[in-house]
Amino acid sequence: MILDGPFELDPSRRYSVDLMSFRVDTRISKISVGLFAYFGPYVVQISALFLGYNRKEEEVSLIKPGVNFLTMESISMLPPQCDGVVLVAWGEPWRAGEGSVTWEELKESDYHGMKLVLNQYEELTE
């Protein structure tokens, strides 16, 4: 399920992700959420996280300045010629106290948006 996006980028530029977080109701669990970049016909995962039970915060960070929580790398580069990014979720959504919910219900009532900060840069050429 696409939670947010796609967000188009200029493929002639290079980007890194400085910050990526999203807000989802703390009652939601049993899903994974990831940021994906696409370039031409290809898609690559930049970061992802499984939402388990008993989360205390609505805001979930995949990437914070200085750390990608999937790769533990300090810089999260988007691939060259990246056309855009998209936030994708998969799994079997579960709402505490109610049970299974549809993706449409989750997106309509439990998902509260994302924050994405990209850094645009130029590669040094010799």
Side-chain angles (χ1 to χ4, degrees), residues 24-81:
V24 66
D25 194 292
T26 57
R27 299 175 301 157
I28 297 297
S29 62
K30 297 177 66 174
I31 64 170
S32 293
V33 179
L35 180 67
F36 290 81
Y38 52 93
F39 51 107
Y42 305 102
V43 176
V44 63
Q45 180 177 302
I46 304 302
S47 190
L49 190 66
F50 177 75
L51 299 182
Y53 299 103
N54 299 322
R55 280 183 304 109
K56 304 292 185 225
E57 302 291 326
E58 255 194 17
E59 186 166 6
V60 177
S61 293
L62 298 181
I63 299 170
K64 283 188 176 181
V67 64
N68 178 327
F69 292 108
L70 175 69
T71 64
M72 299 311 288
E73 294 176 341
S74 60
I75 299 174
S76 299
M77 308 298 293
L78 296 183
Q81 286 96 40

Side-chain angles (χ1 to χ4, degrees), residues 78-106:
L78 296 183
Q81 286 96 40
C82 182
D83 299 312
V85 294
V86 63
L87 187 65
V88 176
W90 63 97
E92 298 179 23
W94 186 267
R95 186 182 293 136
E98 297 178 36
S100 183
V101 295
T102 67
W103 284 109
E104 290 76 18
E105 291 171 322
L106 182 146

Side-chain angles (χ1 to χ4, degrees), residues 113-126:
M114 70 179 279
K115 187 184 308 180
L116 177 65
V117 178
L118 299 177
N119 183 27
Q120 192 177 105
Y121 69 95
E122 293 183 29
E123 290 186 277
L124 298 175
T125 57
E126 297 181 33

